Amino acid sequence: MDLNDTKLQELDTIFQTLPSLPSSFKKPQCVSHKNEILVCGGYNNGNCYSYHTLKNQYKLICSYPETIQLVGHCVVKRISNNSDVTTLLSFGGQHKHVLVMKYKSVWDDTKKSKTEDIIQYNKWIFWTDNFHVYVEIGRNKDDYEGACAVIGGSNNHLLFIAYYPHNISVYDLNKYQFVKHHVLSSDNFLGYNCFVIKTKDKVSNKKKTELFLFCGKMGLSIEYDEQNNTFQFSKLPICTTMKKIINYIYVHVNDVILFFGGWEAEAASKSVHKYSIKDNVWMQFEYNLQLALYRCVGVLSADAAFVHIIGENLETKSEGIHLKTSVKEWMKEETEKERKWLIEEVEKMRIKNIKKDLKIMNGDIDLKELKTYKEISMVIEHWIRHALSVRIGWIDDFNKIISHFIMLKYFKSFQIAPQRFGSIDKIEFSPDCTKAVLILYDKPLRLWNIKLPEVKILECSDAFEFAQFSADGNMIMSCSRDGNIQFWDVESCKVIKKLRHPDNALGFRFSPDGKTLACYSYDKVFRIWNIESGQDIQTVSGVKRIEDICFSFDSQQIAMAQVGVIEMWNVKTGKQIRRFKAHTRHIKKLMFSLDGQLFVSQSLDGTIRIWDVESGNEVKTLKNPFNLVFFLDNKTILSCCYKSIQLWDVKSETKIQKLKGHQGDILAVQGSPDGNTLVSGCNKGISKLFYFSLLSNNYLSNGKYIQMILFPCV
C-alpha cells in the first residue's frame, strides 16, 4: 500500500477502506450483480473490472473497444429472467456510443465452452436492432456528457435520460426509438446529477413511473404516464446546505437518497446528506467525510446492505479508491445536533415559503418588493377577488397566507407630526409601549408620548448618560455625567428621589424590576447597587475596561463585557457565575433574550455570537459589520448596519427584512417590549427619527394601510 493509500486509513469505522482498483478511475460507471460490483470504465479508462464483495478481490472482465473514448458515459443494467446473466447498456458520453454486454460472472468456476463464452458473454459489442442495424441513442445536437439514466416502465422497457442542458427524454428499448422529449425550465445545467426511480413494487399504477431529479438548487418529482405519453412535474425542496453542491455521490436505498461529498464553490465538499422520498425531508448528518471525495460514484450492493464509493480522492490524488459503508449507519435515529439542524432547516424553508406565498396570481409579487401596506392590501384584495370568482374553499389558502405573513416581523412606519430634537444617542420604551425617553447628546431628556404625540423636557445639571422606565412605568430612572442618579415622576416630570454615585461613572444599567443598578467607573470599579437602600450589593475593584453591561429580563443575572471577555454575575449573591473568552476584539453590545435562555454579544471582530445562558456554550454565530444589535423577541435579532435596520431570524440565520430611509449612520435604535414597534435615529446634518410598527391583524382585516413620514430634527 503506497503513501496515498495509507492516508485513506484515517477514515473512521463508518467507512471501510477496500483494496484500491487495479487502475486509476475518474467518474467510473458501476452496477451491482449478486456478490459483485462491476466497474465499467471511467474518464479515458476503458478497462472493466469485477470486484467480489466476499473475496475482496478484483478481476478484469474486458476493455472497451479501442475506437471508443470514454468521457462522461452512462451504464445501466437491464433486468433479465436469467439470474446468472445481466445485460449492460453503455451509451452517451462526449463521444457518443451505444454498446451492450451480456455479463456472466468472471468468478464462476463452472466449466463452459471457451468458444461459447467468447462469443456470448463479457464483451462490449455495438448494439443492433432486430434487423442488425446499429442503434443510436441521442440526436447529433444532443450533448450526452454526464448524462444520467434509469430503466423503468411497465415492462422495464423504457430508458429515462436526463442530460445537458435541461433535457429529459424517454427511449423505448424494445422499439429502439424515442417516445418523449421535454425541456425543463431551470437555471441549473444538468450533468452528473442525481436521477433515481421510485421502487417499482411501491408504485400502484404500473403504467406510471415516478422519478426524482436533483441538481444544484433544483429538485423535481417527475411522473411519466406511458399510456398517455405525458410528463407531470412537481418541485421538491432543496436544503440550504445542498444548493451549491454539484457532482455529488448518491445512492437510492429504501425510499431514501444518500448524498456524499461533491463539489461546492471551489473545493470538494465533505458533507453527507439524506433525503427521505416518503417524508419529503432533508437531513444533514453530523458526521463529515474525513476525505474530500469528488469524481466518484456510489453504488448499492445487490443486498442493499452496503454503499460502495469508487473513484478519485482529491486530497491524496488517488484515482482508484474504493470505500464501503454500511447502510445501517445512515438509517439510525438522528443525533441531537442533527435534530437541531432539522429544526433550523424547517425554519429556513418556512421563511422561504412565506415569501413565495405572496408571489400570487399574474403579478408575481415578492414580499421583498412590497414597499407599503397599500401594496400589501392591494395584493391580498386582488387575490380574494380572483379566488372567489374561481373556486370554493379559497378561505383555507387565504388563511394560510395570512398566518404565514403575520409570523414574520414586517415593519412599516406611522405618520406622526414632526418634532425637533438634537442628536439622539439612546432610546428607551415604557413597559406599556406608549412612551419613550430619548437621550440626546448634551441636551435634556425628552419624554415622548407616542400616541398623542407630545414631548416633555426633563432638565438636569449635566448631560444624561442613561435613562430607563421603572417596571410599573410610573418613573424614569436616569444617570448623568456628574454622578447624579435621579428618579422622575412620569406624569409631573419632576424629580422625586435622588442618589449620587461616588465617582464619575462611564456607564449605568437599571435592572428591569427597577430594584438594582449596575455601573462602572473611571476608577476601574464595577458596582451593583440596591436602589431602595442605596447600598452596594457587590463592588469589584481593579477590573479592566468594561465595554458593556446588561441585566437579564428577570433581573436575576447580569452580563459584563471587557475586551473580548464576558462575565456572568448573580445579582442576588453578587458572585460571579462564569467567565469566558467570547470575541477576539472589543465587545460593543450585550443583551439577554426575553425568556432569559440566550444572550447575544456583538463585537468589532465583525461577528454576533449567541450564547446559551445556562451552559455558557456558543449557540450560533452571525457574521456582518453591525453597528447595534439586540433581541427584538426570543426569535428575532435586530441589527443596524450604517443607514439601515435589519431583522434576522435567530434559528434560520435568515434576514427577514431590511428597513431603509436614514440618510446618515444610525446612532440609536430600540424595540418596544412587545416587539411590535421600532424607533431609530441618525445624525446627518439634520437628524431623523423613524417610527416603525408591526403589521397587525386589524390592518389586514380592514384593509387600512399606514404611510411613512420622517421626523425632521436639528
Side-chain angles (χ1 to χ4, degrees), residues 440-481:
L440 284 65
Y441 182 77
D442 283 339
K443 294 288 178 68
L445 289 178
R446 260 58 171 186
L447 175 59
W448 176 31
N449 190 318
I450 297 170
K451 288 192 173 182
L452 294 180
E454 68 175 11
V455 176
K456 295 179 181 180
I457 298 176
L458 282 66
E459 297 281 1
C460 186
S461 57
D462 202 349
F464 288 90
E465 288 286 344
F466 188 77
Q468 180 180 316
F469 283 89
S470 61
D472 58 12
N474 296 327
M475 285 193 306
I476 295 173
M477 302 170 286
S478 69
C479 300
S480 54
R481 295 177 190 170

Side-chain angles (χ1 to χ4, degrees), residues 626-660:
F626 299 117
N627 295 340
L628 302 168
V629 60
F630 61 85
F631 275 99
L632 185 61
D633 55 33
N634 293 327
K635 298 179 180 179
T636 312
I637 283 181
L638 181 147
S639 68
C640 295
C641 187
Y642 305 115
K643 298 179 177 67
S644 66
I645 300 171
Q646 299 172 356
L647 293 158
W648 298 79
D649 183 85
V650 174
K651 290 184 178 179
S652 64
E653 303 176 34
T654 305
K655 183 164 62 178
I656 299 172
Q657 188 182 5
K658 189 173 184 178
L659 302 174
K660 297 181 179 180

Side-chain angles (χ1 to χ4, degrees), residues 30 66 113 115 171 207 241 264 281 362 403 422 467 481:
C30 301
E66 292 183 358
S113 168
T115 305
Y171 186 86
K207 290 290 184 180
T241 50
E264 182 176 13
V281 171
N362 55 358
S403 62
R481 295 177 190 170

